Each structure stands twice: as C-alpha cells, then as structure tokens.
Amino acid sequence: MDQPQRRRRATVHDVAVEAGVSRGTVSRFLNGQRYVSDDARQAIEAAIVKVGFVPNRAARSLVMRRSQAVGLIVHEPHSLFVEDPNIGSILLGANETLSEADYQMATLIADSPRDIARLGNYLSGGLIDGVIIVSAREGDAITRAVSRLDIPAAYVGHPRDIGQAAYVAIDNRRAAHAITTRLRETGRSRVGMIAAALDRDSGADRLAGFTDALGDAFDASLVEAVPLYSYGDGQAGMRALLARHPDLDGVFASSDAVAAGAVDVLQASGRRIPEDVGVVGFDDSSWAMRCEPALSTVRQPAGDLGRAAAAAVLRQIDGDPATGEGTLLDCPVIWRGSA
C-alpha cells in the first residue's frame, strides 16, 4: 500500500516568490526589523496566508539571539508553591502579559541549595531572555547570579540588595500599620502577631508596620515568628501565642493562610471570633473566604504584580535600562466579620 506523501513545508523562498519581493525583505519582516515598506508588508502578509508559511521560531531565535522565553523563579518550598494562591495569581498575571508579547513563561522553583545551584547554571545557558523573581531574600544566591549574568530582571517585592534592578511591590509596612490600627480601634488591648517570613522584605515590613501601629504599647512577647506564610505555621504560631498570653484579644496574622490556621486553633480552644478574639490577615486570597467568619485582611493585587513585573522585564529585553525605580500598587484594607 502506497504511503501518503507528506506535504512540503512552505519556506521563506515560497513567500518571497508569492509576494514578489526578495528573500531578504521577507526575513526582515519576520524578524521585526525596519526598512520594509507598507506595500511589501501587506504583500508578505497575504503570501504567508496563501502558501501556509509557519515561521521557524528556533531559527529566528538564533538570528535575533533571543529565546522568546522568560523565567519566573519562585524561591519557596514546593508545598507552599501549591498552597499559596498568591503565587498562582502572580504566575497567571505574568503569563498573560508575556503571552500578549508572544513570549513563553518557564516556571522555576527554588526549594533547596541544589535547586539554586542548578538555576545558576540554567540562567547562564541563554535559554531565557529575562527573569521574574518571587520571594527573593536579602543576600539571595539567585539575586547574585542574576546580577553577575546581567540578565533583564524584575522582582515581585523589594529586597534591599537588588541594586538598580526593577521591582514591583506593595507598601507592606503601611498596610500592616493600617490594619493593625483598625483592629485596635475595635477595642482590643492585647493584640498579638504571628509574624511569618521575616527573612524577606514582605515579612519584615509587616512586622515593622505592626510595631509602628502599637507604638509604646508594643510587647515583643506578643509576637511569634514562624518560617512560612502557611496554614500549618499559623496553627503553630497561634498555639505558642496562646500558651504565653491566653488573655490576648486580637491577632494580626501576616498572611491569610497563617490567619486561617490561627482561626482554627482559636475556635478549637473555645474562643469566639470576633467576640473574644479579633483576627485579621493579609492578602485577600481564597483563604480569607474559607474562614468562618470571613477574614478581615489587606487586598494584595497579586495578578497585577505579575503583570507589571512581566512588563518591566519585556521593556528591558527591548533595550530600556533598569533604573532602580520600582512600582508600588495599592493594597486597601478589606473589613469583614473576623474582627
């Protein structure tokens, strides 16, 4: 039985013949270069449709020295990557902006020193044109690698040691001050905090905002530090705070997931929310609506953070230098039944 013949793939030569222009003109058009007249451009576009030409992106990348890919690096444990809805929203927002620019996003998770070493090798291989970095710590090996390789980069958050790199963030300190103040205004006098992720700017700034809001009433023994923005750490932090201060009547949890863990521990101990203890979180993520009552919190525009960070990287890829100036997005307090 005769095998069907495979249809020959249309080439740049076929497009040039159909459009009545040179192959060089077609190549300039495909590579987005200037010096292609409007008439030639229209003829090439029509020819591409007629002959069924599909550009060879691998070859184009070699010519332009671009991979058409941007890496999104998340420096968090694998478990938190799955649990934290903010990370997913940042990822989707970034992917939306990159897709509109015809870029592919490569998601890279740094969960261990081995992951970070592997990422350093990956970044130096020319496989991506730029990076978006989420949850970087001060003194981060990833930041050092990005700086050494001079890769277009944008940070979600603002570690203090990123130099002139672009960043997109919220004012964590001011937002934490605002929601702590509002919690105290409900009549709470023994307000504690479960302070997560103090090794990065967001966690440290939220603790600073809490401290600012309490002023002379600040009591360090009412702060329990935990490693991660996670439900499990919220449970552990709340148990520790209750053991030291069973009379506390307010809690600021530095993320909604942490707050959800705290709420469950408080209710299991017989405390009513908000009658006995008022609880507030941070993020306005899906965790906030899982709580009963629904959680008072700070709305973090995670999707917009991802979109803005992707746009900043694309501008650098196109030749705009990073100036060290960041973008701060609004993060209003959302008041619900938990406080």
Side-chain angles (χ1 to χ4, degrees):
M1 182 177 179
D2 293 338
Q3 294 293 325
Q5 289 187 339
R6 177 180 291 180
R7 181 180 176 184
R8 184 178 70 86
R9 181 172 180 169
T11 66
V12 170
H13 175 75
D14 298 325
V15 175
V17 170
E18 180 63 34
V21 300
S22 70
R23 291 179 59 180
T25 300
V26 176
S27 294
R28 286 196 299 276
F29 170 83
L30 293 173
N31 292 328
Q33 298 174 6
R34 291 179 285 182
Y35 312 117
V36 179
S37 70
D38 290 341
D39 288 344
R41 189 181 306 276
Q42 291 173 12
I44 292 168
E45 289 172 346
I48 286 173
V49 173
K50 186 171 182 179
V51 305
F53 175 73
V54 178
N56 185 327
R57 294 194 178 277
R60 183 183 178 191
S61 295
L62 288 172
V63 171
M64 299 183 71
R65 297 186 179 180
R66 290 187 183 177
S67 65
Q68 292 296 116
V70 167
L72 187 141
I73 300 174
V74 180
H75 191 174
E76 294 287 8
H78 296 151
S79 59
L80 196 64
F81 182 87
V82 174
E83 178 182 313
D84 190 342
N86 285 313
I87 295 174
S89 295
I90 290 168
L91 184 153
L92 292 173
N95 188 64
E96 178 183 320
T97 295
L98 293 173
S99 295
E100 290 171 356
D102 204 23
Y103 270 75
Q104 178 63 42
M105 186 175 73
T107 304
L108 311 166
I109 306 173
D111 187 15
S112 66
R114 184 172 179 271
D115 287 342
I116 294 170
R118 190 179 68 251
L119 275 174
N121 293 331
Y122 181 82
L123 295 177
S124 65
L127 299 173
I128 55 176
D129 298 330
V131 289
I132 299 164
I133 305 167
V134 181
S135 296
R137 281 75 158 164
E138 197 165 329
D140 203 317
I142 295 171
T143 296
R144 293 198 299 272
V146 169
S147 178
R148 184 181 72 252
L149 296 168
D150 196 26
I151 301 171
Y155 289 78
V156 176
H158 187 208
R160 306 297 185 252
D161 60 346
I162 62 174
Q164 294 296 104
Y167 68 91
V168 183
I170 60 172
D171 192 334
N172 286 283
R173 185 168 186 162
R174 185 174 181 179
H177 181 284
I179 198 164
T180 301
T181 298
R182 186 157 181 182
L183 176 60
R184 293 187 74 202
E185 288 172 349
T186 64
R188 318 287 169 176
S189 60
R190 298 285 288 166
V191 178
M193 179 181 181
I194 305 173
L198 295 179
D199 59 344
R200 66 205 78 169
D201 63 292
S202 59
D205 285 351
R206 290 173 198 180
L207 174 57
F210 174 80
T211 304
D212 293 344
L214 290 173
D216 293 340
F218 175 74
D219 180 352
S221 71
L222 278 162
V223 175
E224 181 65 23
V226 297
L228 299 172
Y229 293 126
S230 72
Y231 172 85
D233 280 358
Q235 291 180 306
M238 192 68 255
R239 291 190 189 103
L241 272 181
L242 279 178
R244 288 200 303 275
H245 296 284
D247 60 337
L248 62 72
D249 59 6
V251 178
F252 170 39
S254 55
S255 83
D256 291 346
V258 171
V263 165
D264 283 354
V265 169
L266 286 166
Q267 290 175 333
S269 72
R271 269 76 167 182
R272 297 168 302 160
I273 298 171
E275 292 85 354
D276 300 325
V277 183
V279 181
V280 297
F282 202 109
D283 291 331
D284 199 24
S285 68
S286 57
W287 282 104
M289 301 310 294
R290 295 181 201 174
C291 294
E292 179 55 46
L295 193 64
S296 296
T297 186
V298 171
R299 176 166 294 159
Q300 179 166 202
D304 290 340
L305 289 169
R307 281 184 279 271
V313 171
L314 291 173
R315 287 195 296 271
Q316 293 172 63
I317 292 171
D318 287 339
D320 290 349
T323 62
E325 294 183 1
T327 300
L328 286 179
L329 303 184
D330 290 337
C331 50
V333 170
I334 307 298
W335 205 250
R336 300 192 179 101
S338 69

